[in-house]
Amino acid sequence: MASKRNKANDVEGTGHLAPLPKSPTGIEGLDALTLGGLPTGRPTLLCGAAGCGKTLFAMTFLIKGVTEFGEHGVLMSFEERERDLETNVASLGYDVADLIERKQMVIDHVYIERAEIEESGDYDLEGLFVRLGHAIDSIGAKRVVLDTIEALFSGLDDTAILRAELRRLFAWLKDKGVTAIITAERGEGQLTRYGIEEYVSDCVILLDNRVEEQVTTRRLRVVKYRGSSHGTNEYPFLIDEHGISVLPITSAELGHRISHEALSTGVPGLDEMLGKNGYFRGSSVLISGLAGTGKSTFGAAFVNAACERGERCLFFAFEESPDQIVRNMKSVGFDLQRHIDSGLLCFQAARPSLYGFEMHLARMNRDIEHFEPNVIVVDPISAFRGPSFEIHATLVRLADICKSKGITALFTSLSSSGEQMTESERSVSSLMDTWISLKDMEANGERNRVLYLLKSRGMNHSKQLREYQLSDHGIHMVDAYIGPDGVLTGTARVAQEARERQADLARQQATERRRRDLARKRAAVERQIAEMRAALETEEIEVTTQIEQEEARETAQGSERSQMAILRGAQR
């Protein structure tokens, strides 16, 4: 026999349990990793140390509930006053005073003085329930925030009273049918100060503000979520003038859709080398090389070609300012300013030391969500410092985000001067669909730039080392030249080509001389043949004449003999 709880959750008596109803928070990424939001009609515990953003999370939950989901909200604060809270969230673009004036939100500051609290067995929260219930009923609130719970019990040491009153508080919130967030401070060796709140909460979210190597990174983890699956890892989140954004869960099943469409690299010669006339749409491309080899220029060429096709491009710069990049690229024939003015190109520039690597990833994910680009460039990933496994894990998520959205991503990376790959190159190379290596070659006292394709998945690409030149008209790929000692570049190639042209000319002249000598010999032989033919013809004429004369004489002699025979007969 089904229990009462199971019967209540049956879908119209079918025997199937209904999914847990959830209330979306409106916070980017958080709803994705909780698979829909916070449990509707249940309390959620939001805990963390000072400065990790608990109050901002809670306020965002209330404000988004009003502005995006039509659910009124109540915030009962035990520490900050209404005016202070309004000022704090105004930096995120939220007008709380207007929501309060419209009767869509209530902020109630409850002043508690620890010295006035006397611990006794009759301590209860009836007064709080009355006050909070009135605020909820006055605007028909569906969302409630209590910030922070430690202030409510700051003067009590009796664990039994704490546990009993906490259970009463959570049960009362459930009976009211409100979706509640209760903030709590992080305790020593446990999630909260008292270590009780996390056990009576249906959902527990832990916020962390971690400092490593003088760089701060905020992280979020869903510790538990009764009745629902959820993301269990730590996820970085960002708080800035655009609000709160949490890096979402990325797919672990490699089920991304692929495209057979090729996008031009912006360099005609490189398109030919790739075999498909460009990069596959939605692929990840790595361009690595030494300083000065033109990595950013190749990225700008790709962006310029994409913008000329009418596609939206997002350029993340970590070493140069946007104005500096625009100026530098203009010297090689790429006018990026016109694409910025048209709204197709957007630059996001920041120093790597501004955030931790994961915070940068959260910021890039938020910018991708807002701008919705077709193409992104990250220049360079080698600017980040940290353990290779962290860089690898973070870039896996960024590449995964781009692939899931069909975005073609181009990354640049600074290589070391030696032949060995850098640690960052080894960590990210396996993620890339196409890897282009740029190098400097020294010969004849000069340095020349060469390019070769280390790999390009799905393409029968060129294996040839190619020289390239940066000019006022962009990037020009020089035809490959293989000399006796290997590939020649720069003046060595020009000198060798000149020597070969001279050798070709000498061979042509020698061939022409032999041709003329042969013609002279042929003419002499033909003259000799003509003379011999003429002599032969003369001799033939003489012989023929002699034969005719002999035949005539023989005929005449026969006639004479006949006449003589006749004469002899007549004499008889």
Side-chain angles (χ1 to χ4, degrees):
M1 182 175 180
S3 66
K4 293 182 179 180
R5 183 175 179 180
N6 288 342
K7 288 181 179 179
N9 291 333
D10 280 355
V11 181
E12 297 182 356
T14 60
H16 298 288
L17 293 178
L20 180 69
K22 298 182 179 182
S23 298
T25 64
I27 298 174
E28 294 183 9
L30 180 57
D31 291 336
L33 67 93
T34 55
L35 306 182
L38 304 182
T40 301
R42 297 185 181 187
T44 295
L45 181 66
L46 189 65
C47 53
C52 62
K54 300 184 296 296
T55 302
L56 287 179
F57 257 90
M59 287 292 291
T60 302
F61 168 71
L62 289 183
I63 294 170
K64 293 287 186 179
V66 173
T67 58
E68 296 184 7
F69 308 109
E71 295 183 355
H72 296 180
V74 171
L75 185 143
M76 181 166 284
S77 173
F78 304 108
E79 291 184 340
E80 295 184 87
R81 298 182 179 181
E82 177 181 337
R83 182 175 300 177
D84 296 331
L85 291 170
E86 292 177 5
T87 304
N88 293 343
V89 298
S91 61
L92 304 182
Y94 301 142
D95 188 356
V96 174
D98 181 64
L99 299 180
I100 294 174
E101 184 178 351
R102 295 184 180 184
K103 304 297 183 181
Q104 295 175 322
M105 182 182 291
V106 170
I107 296 181
D108 187 6
H109 175 245
V110 179
Y111 174 75
I112 296 178
E113 177 59 48
R114 295 185 179 183
E116 297 177 0
I117 298 178
E118 180 180 354
E119 184 174 352
S120 68
D122 296 331
Y123 179 87
D124 60 43
L125 299 177
E126 287 299 331
L128 174 69
F129 296 159
V130 172
R131 188 166 177 172
L132 182 57
H134 173 72
I136 293 173
D137 296 336
S138 66
I139 61 171
K142 295 296 183 181
R143 301 186 178 206
V144 169
V145 169
L146 300 181
D147 183 43
T148 64
I149 198 169
E150 283 80 14
L152 191 60
F153 300 105
S154 59
L156 300 179
D157 295 324
D158 191 321
T159 304
I161 296 177
L162 279 173
R163 186 180 296 273
E165 292 305 307
L166 280 172
R167 289 187 182 278
R168 286 188 62 208
L169 174 61
F170 282 66
W172 184 88
L173 291 171
K174 286 185 178 181
D175 292 339
K176 292 293 291 185
V178 294
T179 305
I181 287 182
I182 300 171
T183 66
E185 294 181 5
R186 185 74 182 267
E188 294 293 336
Q190 51 195 5
L191 295 180
T192 58
R193 179 179 299 179
Y194 301 115
I196 301 172
E197 301 93 314
E198 57 262 37
Y199 294 102
V200 296
S201 302
D202 290 276
C203 178
V204 178
I205 298 176
L206 176 63
L207 304 183
D208 182 29
N209 190 13
R210 198 172 305 168
V211 180
E212 296 177 354
E213 297 183 358
Q214 300 180 350
V215 176
T216 300
T217 301
R218 289 187 170 96
R219 292 180 174 90
L220 176 150
R221 180 165 67 95
V222 181
V223 179
K224 78 172 185 178
Y225 199 137
R226 288 173 180 161
S228 173
S229 58
H230 56 86
T232 57
N233 296 327
E234 284 190 328
Y235 303 93
F237 68 92
L238 181 68
I239 300 177
D240 60 6
E241 67 276 8
H242 300 288
I244 302 173
S245 57
V246 181
L247 188 67
I249 301 172
T250 53
S251 173
E253 298 180 355
L254 298 178
H256 309 299
R257 293 183 179 180
I258 64 169
S259 172
H260 296 279
E261 179 186 0
L263 304 181
S264 173
T265 65
V267 183
L270 181 56
D271 288 345
E272 296 173 2
M273 292 181 66
L274 287 167
K276 295 288 186 179
N277 292 323
Y279 311 125
F280 280 129
R281 183 180 293 279
S283 63
S284 299
V285 180
L286 174 64
I287 299 180
S288 63
L290 297 173
T293 52
K295 301 180 296 297
S296 299
T297 306
F298 273 88
F302 182 48
V303 165
N304 183 68
C307 290
E308 289 183 347
R309 294 192 300 268
E311 298 186 352
R312 297 170 65 83
C313 302
L314 191 54
F315 198 114
F316 295 103
F318 296 103
E319 288 185 341
E320 298 178 281
S321 68
D323 290 342
Q324 186 177 2
I325 294 174
V326 170
R327 182 201 65 187
N328 295 345
M329 292 305 110
K330 197 169 185 179
S331 67
V332 290
F334 300 135
D335 185 6
L336 301 183
Q337 185 61 48
R338 62 189 179 95
H339 300 314
I340 296 175
D341 296 337
S342 68
L344 292 176
L345 175 60
C346 176
F347 277 92
Q348 294 292 339
R351 284 291 182 189
S353 57
L354 181 62
Y355 306 115
F357 199 76
E358 289 188 332
M359 290 292 287
H360 277 293
L361 179 59
R363 183 179 66 90
M364 288 189 284
N365 176 71
R366 183 206 59 202
D367 293 336
I368 289 172
E369 290 286 346
H370 289 178
F371 191 71
E372 298 181 349
N374 305 102
V375 166
I376 71 164
V377 172
V378 181
D379 180 41
I381 59 175
S382 53
F384 298 99
R385 296 293 181 266
S388 60
F389 71 90
E390 289 188 7
I391 295 176
H392 181 272
T394 306
L395 287 176
V396 163
R397 284 188 279 182
L398 179 57
D400 196 53
I401 290 169
C402 292
K403 286 181 179 293
S404 65
K405 298 178 182 297
I407 298 172
T408 309
L410 187 147
F411 305 87
T412 69
S413 177
L414 179 66
S415 300
S416 62
S417 58
E419 293 294 328
Q420 297 294 327
M421 289 190 299
T422 64
E423 190 173 8
S424 62
E425 285 179 336
R426 285 195 302 271
S427 65
V428 303
S429 60
S430 61
L431 304 176
M432 301 299 149
D433 301 298
T434 299
W435 186 3
I436 300 172
S437 178
L438 309 180
K439 290 185 176 295
D440 281 330
M441 294 187 66
E442 295 188 17
N444 296 338
E446 65 178 10
R447 302 177 70 182
N448 299 289
R449 301 179 177 100
V450 295
L451 171 154
Y452 62 98
L453 295 171
L454 289 174
K455 71 174 182 179
S456 190
R457 292 168 178 161
M459 297 183 181
N460 185 18
H461 59 85
S462 172
K463 313 301 188 297
Q464 180 65 60
L465 192 71
R466 292 285 297 274
E467 181 183 1
Y468 63 94
Q469 297 173 345
L470 306 182
S471 67
D472 295 341
H473 304 288
I475 303 173
H476 172 62
M477 302 296 295
V478 181
D479 291 337
Y481 184 86
I482 308 297
D485 299 324
V487 176
L488 299 180
T489 62
T491 57
R493 173 181 53 81
V494 174
Q496 182 63 24
E497 288 177 344
R499 287 193 293 269
E500 291 198 355
R501 285 195 297 269
Q502 293 174 356
D504 289 342
L505 180 60
R507 286 194 296 270
Q508 292 174 4
Q509 292 174 346
T511 301
E512 192 64 28
R513 285 195 300 272
R514 290 196 295 270
R515 187 178 290 111
R516 290 195 297 270
D517 292 342
L518 180 61
R520 285 194 298 269
K521 290 180 180 180
R522 182 183 297 278
V525 170
E526 288 178 352
R527 284 196 300 271
Q528 292 177 359
I529 292 174
E531 291 173 356
M532 294 176 66
R533 183 178 289 113
L536 180 61
E537 290 176 352
T538 300
E539 187 176 353
E540 286 179 349
I541 293 172
E542 291 178 353
V543 170
T544 301
T545 301
Q546 291 176 359
I547 293 173
E548 290 176 350
Q549 291 175 354
E550 290 293 333
E551 290 177 349
R553 282 196 297 272
E554 289 180 358
T555 302
Q557 289 177 358
S559 177
E560 290 176 354
R561 283 195 293 272
S562 298
Q563 291 178 0
M564 291 178 66
I566 293 172
L567 290 175
R568 290 189 193 101
Q571 290 177 355
R572 286 193 303 262

